[in-house]
């Protein structure tokens, strides 16, 4: 039906273009003409070579327009947490501009932890304004690969382990960014769930898990936000690289989901002329960058979608319609962005952007432990507060790979503590990590490490409160592209250090950064724990606002924190399931990723999915449920019963009726809503609407979605293991 109307629209556009051409009017330059008419008109004026030129890079981060016709090039940049600094035209070296310092926004894991769709929209709006101001048309992000393993080096760039949460949270971001005339380039499509062997690993996954878990957030972004560009992933699926995988890109994405955008390769992700020509790729970027390290004599005209593709067209081996289709998609992107009359001018480092950065941080920090209500901090109780840990001062906007940012101003945790508590604050680094970029890792000097530790332990003796600030950082094999973590433990001796500090001083609070869950053998020894993901430029301010109680914490985990690494579902299946053997990885846990495994197989996590403490408490009324217009609508009263104003995230997990032959997860997130700030005693009626289609499972026999009839239990809770109320509804 939709396909038919798109076809009809492009036929009409072609007719309009022809009339325009005959009358001499330049429809493609008319900002008020419909985009499809502009596309068809532009296409009709272009030579084969000009069309080819649209399809590949002309520099590290741009692809060409058509100068002769005044059609603009596409300027791209990483993404997703801010605009990357300018690089040289042809290399990965910084261009050393002096006006490209920006606001670093919190990592996407942090955004996901807010469970706040409005904040996601504010984030998308603010970050895209920075891209627009820098003259960019496409931001390379956001990312919604599923967090299958806590070792994934790029998890911080994604939105957790649940396809519904990631999908719902990414939609407002994309909508807001694209309203500003900046295209999002959603990455990495698809199954780029580990960094080990990322260029060569072939993922074997069941059709059901592929659809229910891994494709789902991308599908939401296509269907609900009409994301304008998507980046293919490096890895292979069914033996074919995902940047030009015909079944994936032409079959599922373009035909199946009716997507009209442009598929951009990951940098260096194109490997084969025939597949590049026929496998659904539209813009080839970064070929022969060889893992970002070496440049070669290879020119832009040698790209697979450049001269080699043109030769295939000239020889008639690939029909002109394939070239026209690709060129149309790129032209559409140009008219949506670079030549969009509504594209905003944008701004860089505005106070409004810092505000968004801070708010996302404040709502994304997850309070995991708060014994005896040591938090919010009552500083009058303490004379000497010792801050320990490298992350209290380290710039965490640097490192990590392509998402590294050059910022104008950052507030570190230590600075913010000093601003708030003045002379009471002392600092000891406690450990060091060195800098590690890609394959280079600084060797840790044990003597230096011991000296730092001794100094911290010594200072601890005279402190009456310790705030440890550590966790992961953006080093290689911590949170960084092209490498996964080597262990579930924190590195650099942090476990021992925290344990020893806590022995000396019982008032120890731990603050961690990082995109992943991790083991915490010292948990029982410390009074409080807050996990911050990465907080960007306003890190210190957001953190101290939460710890001091200026803001009531409301972040909830988008991933399960297991007690031990072995509890993650794929681990039991050995190396074949992660990181793969002979470049083949098998997703043997199937649909039981993250909490789907923990809840179904009764494995007790350390902190469940959706978990996060508050300084206040909320009570849940008796929910009501009704079905209207194809939706199941649950309403529930939530009341703030504590003494501090705060927000609550209401989560709905569905349990489907069991069909004997179809395994189902015990609980699946199907709806959520964050309340407004509720004053003590205040009540909000939260209404959550679940489309019945969202209750379907994927049926491998029919290769389609199926809705099981019967009684569904909808569990209303504050995390997946803390269900406050249940209702049932019957689907006939
Ligand atoms: C990364 C992408 C990034 C691109 C350009 C690749 O190595 O995987 O996420 O956008 O480089 O920097």
């Amino acid at each position: 039906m939709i396909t038919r109307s798109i076809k009809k629209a492009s036929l009409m556009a072609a007719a309009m273009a022809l009339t325009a051409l005959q009358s001499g009017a330049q429809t493609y330059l008319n900002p008020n003409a419909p985009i499809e008419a502009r596309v068809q008109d532009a296409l009709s004026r272009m030579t084969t070579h000009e069309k080819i030129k649209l399809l590949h890079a002309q520099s590290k981060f741009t692809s060409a327009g058509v100068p002769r016709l005044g059609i603009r090039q596409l300027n791209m940049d990483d993404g997703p947490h801010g605009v990357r600094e300018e690089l040289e035209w042809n290399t990965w070296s910084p261009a050393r501009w002096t006006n490209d310092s920006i606001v670093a926004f919190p990592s996407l894991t942090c955004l996901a932890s807010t469970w706040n769709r409005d904040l996601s929209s504010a984030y998308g709006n603010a970050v895209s304004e920075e891209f627009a101001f820098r003259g960019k048309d496409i931001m390379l992000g956001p990312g919604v690969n599923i967090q299958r393993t806590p070792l994934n080096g790029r998890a911080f760039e994604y939105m957790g382990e649940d396809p519904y949460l990631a999908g719902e949270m990414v939609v407002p971001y994309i909508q807001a960014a694209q309203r500003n005339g900046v295209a999002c380039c959603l990455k990495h499509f698809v199954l780029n769930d580990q960094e080990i062997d990322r260029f060569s690993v072939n993922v074997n996954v069941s059709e059901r898990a592929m659809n229910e878990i891994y494709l789902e957030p991308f599908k939401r972004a296509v269907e609900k936000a009409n994301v304008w560009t998507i980046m293919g992933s490096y890895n292979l699926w069914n033996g074919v690289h995902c940047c030009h995988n015909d079944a994936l890109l032409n079959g599922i994405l373009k035909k199946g989901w009716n997507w009209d955008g442009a598929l951009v390769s990951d940098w260096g992700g194109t490997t084969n002329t025939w597949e590049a020509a026929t496998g659904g790729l539209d813009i080839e970027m970064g070929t022969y960058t060889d893992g970002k390290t070496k440049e070669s004599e290879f020119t832009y005209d040698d790209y697979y979608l450049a001269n080699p593709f043109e030769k295939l067209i000239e020889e008639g081996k690939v029909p002109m319609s394939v070239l026209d289709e690709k060129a149309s998609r790129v032209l559409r992107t140009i008219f949506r962005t670079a030549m969009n009359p509504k594209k905003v001018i944008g701004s860089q480092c505005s106070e409004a952007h810092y505000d968004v950065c801070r708010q996302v941080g404040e709502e994304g920090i997850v309070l995991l432990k708060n014994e005896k209500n040591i938090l919010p901090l009552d500083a009058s109780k303490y004379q000497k507060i010792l801050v320990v840990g490298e992350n209290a001062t380290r710039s965490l906007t640097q490192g990590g790979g392509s998402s590294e940012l050059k910022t104008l101003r950052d507030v570190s945790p230590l600075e913010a503590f000093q601003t708030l508590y003045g002379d009471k604050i002392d600092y000891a680094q406690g450990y060091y990590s060195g800098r590690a970029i890609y394959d280079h890792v600084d060797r840790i000097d044990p003597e230096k490490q011991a000296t730092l530790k001794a100094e911290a332990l010594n200072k601890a003796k005279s402190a009456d409160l310790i705030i440890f600030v550590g966790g992961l950082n953006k080093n290689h094999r911590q949170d960084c592209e092209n490498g996964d973590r080597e262990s579930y433990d924190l590195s650099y001796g942090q476990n021992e250090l925290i344990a020893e500090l806590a022995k000396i001083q019982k008032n120890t609070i731990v603050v961690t950064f990082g995109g992943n869950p991790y083991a915490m053998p010292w948990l029982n020894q410390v009074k409080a724990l807050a996990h911050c993901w990465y907080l960007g430029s306003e890190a210190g301010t957001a953190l101290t606002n939460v710890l001091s109680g200026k803001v009531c914490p409301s972040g909830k985990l988008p991933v399960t924190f297991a007690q031990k690494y072995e509890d993650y579902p794929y681990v039991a299946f050995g190396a074949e399931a992660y990181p793969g053997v002979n470049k083949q990885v098998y997703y043997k846990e199937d649909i039981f990723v993250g909490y789907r495994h923990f809840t179904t197989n009764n494995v007790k996590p350390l902190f469940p999915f959706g978990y996060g403490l508050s300084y206040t408490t909320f009570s849940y009324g008796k929910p009501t449920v009704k079905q209207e217009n194809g939706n199941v609508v649950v309403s529930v009263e939530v009341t703030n019963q504590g003494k501090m104003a705060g927000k609550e995230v209401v989560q709905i997990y569905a349990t489907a009726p069991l069909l004997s032959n179809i395994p189902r997860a015990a609980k699946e997130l199907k709806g959520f809503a964050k309340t407004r700030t509720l004053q003590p005693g205040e009540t909000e009626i939260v209404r959550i609407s679940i489309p019945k289609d969202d209750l379907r499972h994927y049926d491998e026999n029919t290769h389609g979605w199926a809705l099981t009839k019967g009684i569904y239990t909808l569990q209303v809770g504050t995390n997946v293991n803390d269900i406050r109320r249940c209702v049932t509804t019957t689907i006939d």
Side-chain angles (χ1 to χ4, degrees):
M1 181 66 181
I2 306 174
T3 323
R4 221 181 301 140
S5 55
I6 285 186
K7 272 194 190 140
K8 206 169 146 203
S10 36
L11 280 178
M12 277 169 61
M16 277 176 72
L18 190 64
T19 321
L21 201 58
Q22 283 159 352
S23 70
Q26 293 178 308
T27 304
Y28 76 98
L29 288 179
N30 176 359
N32 300 320
I35 285 199
E36 290 315 307
R38 299 180 76 187
V39 169
Q40 294 304 326
D41 182 39
L43 197 66
S44 67
R45 295 166 192 270
M46 287 164 60
T47 64
T48 301
H49 189 63
E50 283 170 339
K51 291 176 192 169
I52 292 279
K53 283 249 167 198
L54 294 179
L55 310 184
H56 57 87
Q58 58 163 4
S59 77
K60 272 279 172 280
F61 281 99
T62 68
S63 60
V66 191
R68 178 179 70 86
L69 296 174
I71 294 176
R72 295 192 48 187
Q73 65 184 38
L74 284 172
N75 297 329
M76 317 177 192
D77 212 346
D78 288 301
H81 309 129
V83 198
R84 187 176 182 169
E85 78 178 307
E86 294 299 325
L87 301 182
E88 287 180 354
W89 189 250
N90 281 326
T91 78
W92 291 105
S93 307
R96 297 178 184 280
W97 286 18
T98 51
N99 60 354
D100 60 347
S101 300
I102 45 76
V103 177
F105 291 85
S107 64
L108 291 189
T109 34
C110 182
L111 178 61
S113 294
T114 68
W115 297 58
N116 184 335
R117 293 177 179 89
D118 293 340
L119 270 185
S120 177
S121 179
Y123 188 131
N125 177 56
V127 74
S128 63
E129 284 182 343
E130 302 235 336
F131 273 83
F133 191 76
R134 283 269 295 283
K136 308 296 177 192
D137 307 302
I138 302 182
M139 70 154 98
L140 305 175
V144 285
N145 292 95
I146 293 295
Q147 194 165 348
R148 177 179 178 249
T149 162
L151 304 186
N152 184 356
R154 292 190 86 170
F156 70 102
E157 292 185 62
Y158 305 138
M159 302 180 93
E161 71 187 21
D162 182 72
Y164 175 79
L165 178 66
E168 282 296 295
M169 287 300 291
V170 86
V171 163
Y173 179 124
I174 297 169
Q175 286 170 330
Q178 296 190 166
R179 262 198 302 276
N180 288 337
V182 174
C184 288
C185 189
L186 192 65
K187 50 198 192 183
H188 303 89
F189 193 63
V190 61
L191 302 168
N192 189 176
D193 309 316
Q194 65 185 57
E195 290 298 291
I196 295 182
D197 291 332
R198 68 171 172 163
F199 298 108
S200 52
V201 73
N202 179 45
V203 180
N204 300 273
V205 57
S206 76
E207 194 180 331
R208 180 173 176 204
M210 177 73 161
N211 279 278
E212 286 187 19
I213 308 289
Y214 297 98
L215 289 173
E216 177 61 23
F218 290 94
K219 190 166 175 233
R220 265 174 203 270
V222 167
E223 291 182 345
K224 292 183 108 178
N226 188 25
V227 64
W228 287 338
T229 67
I230 292 181
M231 186 185 292
S233 60
Y234 287 130
N235 51 276
L236 298 85
W237 173 60
N238 287 349
V240 184
H241 279 281
C242 290
C243 286
H244 35 62
N245 186 314
D246 179 55
L248 177 70
L249 303 179
N250 288 325
I252 295 175
L253 177 63
K254 292 182 176 176
K255 288 202 193 82
W257 301 347
N258 221 354
W259 182 62
D260 71 0
L263 195 289
V264 182
S265 76
D266 199 345
W267 270 234
T270 313
T271 55
N272 169 311
T273 305
W274 182 255
E275 286 176 10
T278 59
L281 174 64
D282 300 308
I283 305 180
E284 177 186 358
M285 298 299 296
T287 300
Y288 274 84
T289 50
D290 202 5
K292 296 198 168 193
T293 49
K294 295 178 212 143
E295 304 303 324
S296 70
E297 294 303 304
F298 200 80
T299 74
Y300 296 110
D301 285 335
D302 298 321
Y303 272 40
Y304 299 99
L305 280 189
N307 289 347
F309 180 43
E310 192 163 354
K311 193 156 172 272
L312 289 180
I313 296 283
E314 275 162 6
E315 290 169 352
K317 291 184 178 149
V318 174
M320 186 58 90
S321 58
V322 172
L323 172 57
D324 282 348
E325 150 95 11
K326 288 183 196 300
S328 302
R329 287 174 183 272
V330 181
L331 286 168
R332 195 173 293 129
T333 310
I334 295 173
F335 293 128
R336 281 171 165 169
T337 59
M339 294 176 74
N340 175 350
K342 295 200 182 120
K343 181 169 178 182
V344 300
I345 290 170
S347 56
Q348 189 167 297
C349 296
S350 69
E351 284 312 311
H353 294 177
Y354 284 108
D355 278 352
V356 171
C357 172
R358 200 199 62 249
Q359 282 170 31
V360 173
E362 288 167 351
E363 288 204 20
I365 292 171
V366 186
L367 183 61
L368 292 170
K369 179 172 180 180
N370 190 14
E371 200 177 293
K372 300 205 177 123
N373 292 338
I374 188 170
L375 296 175
L377 264 185
D378 177 357
S380 65
K381 286 191 187 157
Y382 309 104
Q383 303 314 312
K384 198 100 216 121
I385 303 175
L386 178 66
V387 176
V388 183
E390 194 185 63
N391 282 351
T393 58
R394 183 182 170 110
S395 167
L396 292 170
T397 56
Q398 284 169 23
S402 58
S403 63
E404 172 166 85
L405 295 167
K406 173 171 148 190
T407 50
L408 187 65
R409 67 165 212 237
D410 286 335
V411 184
S412 73
L414 183 61
E415 279 171 274
F417 285 126
Q418 282 164 340
T419 307
L420 204 59
Y421 303 125
D423 290 346
K424 287 188 176 179
I425 297 290
D426 192 8
Y427 174 65
Q429 192 177 318
Y431 70 92
Y432 88 105
S433 66
R435 270 281 166 209
I437 302 171
Y438 293 111
D439 44 0
H440 164 80
V441 181
D442 282 352
R443 222 173 255 142
I444 300 295
D445 172 2
E447 224 169 279
K448 184 172 168 191
Q449 205 65 293
T451 311
L452 288 172
K453 185 175 174 186
E455 184 208 8
L457 295 177
N458 194 31
K459 285 192 174 184
K461 288 179 199 149
S462 52
D464 45 14
L465 175 73
I466 294 174
I467 306 176
F468 178 87
V469 186
L472 306 179
N473 52 29
K474 302 268 186 78
N475 270 358
H476 185 53
R477 303 209 193 101
Q478 293 276 313
D479 278 325
C480 183
E481 256 182 85
N482 210 12
D484 284 347
R485 296 166 66 202
E486 289 170 323
S487 145
Y488 190 49
D489 279 313
L490 295 179
S491 306
Y492 319 118
Q494 291 181 77
N495 279 347
E496 298 73 21
L497 177 58
I498 297 170
E500 287 182 47
L501 287 168
K503 243 185 239 161
I504 298 171
Q505 175 48 260
K506 62 181 179 6
N507 290 329
T508 294
I509 294 169
V510 175
V511 171
T512 51
F513 288 84
N516 274 300
Y518 59 89
M520 35 187 95
W522 34 260
L523 184 62
N524 288 335
Q525 290 172 259
V526 305
K527 283 267 169 64
L529 169 65
H531 188 60
C532 300
W533 317 104
Y534 291 105
L535 297 173
S537 294
E538 290 283 352
T541 320
L543 175 64
T544 49
N545 283 352
V546 168
L547 296 190
S548 67
K550 189 169 174 196
V551 169
C552 184
S554 61
K556 307 278 176 178
L557 292 178
V559 285
T560 308
F561 275 54
Q563 313 228 17
K564 53 185 191 307
Y565 177 65
E566 291 69 30
D567 290 345
Y568 284 99
Y570 61 86
V571 181
F573 299 104
E576 278 200 338
Y578 173 83
V581 175
N582 298 329
K583 309 280 161 82
Q584 296 288 337
V585 62
Y586 295 84
Y587 286 13
K588 295 192 174 182
E589 75 283 16
D590 203 62
I591 60 161
F592 296 98
V593 179
Y595 72 85
R596 283 169 167 74
H597 157 73
F598 286 85
T599 53
T600 311
N601 300 320
N602 292 319
V603 182
K604 199 170 176 288
L606 192 56
F607 299 113
F609 178 83
Y611 181 84
L613 299 171
S614 168
Y615 295 149
T616 185
T617 49
F618 297 93
S619 68
Y620 285 62
K622 194 168 177 295
T624 61
V625 62
K626 60 179 176 190
Q627 293 187 22
E628 58 183 23
N629 306 326
N631 298 312
V632 177
V633 183
V634 178
S635 301
V636 63
E637 281 189 357
V638 177
T639 304
N640 183 350
Q641 292 205 309
K643 295 199 178 82
M644 188 184 274
K647 296 182 180 180
E648 168 71 323
V649 177
V650 179
Q651 306 165 30
I652 300 192
Y653 296 91
T655 306
L658 271 188
L659 288 186
S660 52
N661 54 344
I662 301 172
R664 296 291 290 246
K667 292 176 192 172
E668 286 180 301
L669 183 72
K670 292 296 174 191
F672 66 88
K674 194 161 195 170
T675 65
R676 62 174 187 269
T677 300
L678 295 179
Q679 299 302 321
E682 200 183 351
T683 297
E684 178 174 331
I685 301 172
V686 175
R687 206 171 163 273
I688 296 175
S689 185
I690 305 169
K692 278 190 203 166
D693 279 355
D694 281 0
L695 297 172
R696 296 177 305 178
H697 68 278
Y698 189 86
D699 183 345
E700 297 198 340
N701 296 318
T702 60
H703 309 290
W705 294 91
L707 185 59
T708 307
K709 288 182 185 158
I711 300 172
Y712 285 73
T713 308
L714 301 172
Q715 310 180 51
V716 184
T718 184
N719 69 60
V720 73
N721 283 355
D722 185 358
I723 301 301
R724 300 292 175 83
R725 302 280 184 161
C726 283
V727 279
T728 58
T729 191
T730 305
I731 305 284
D732 327 297

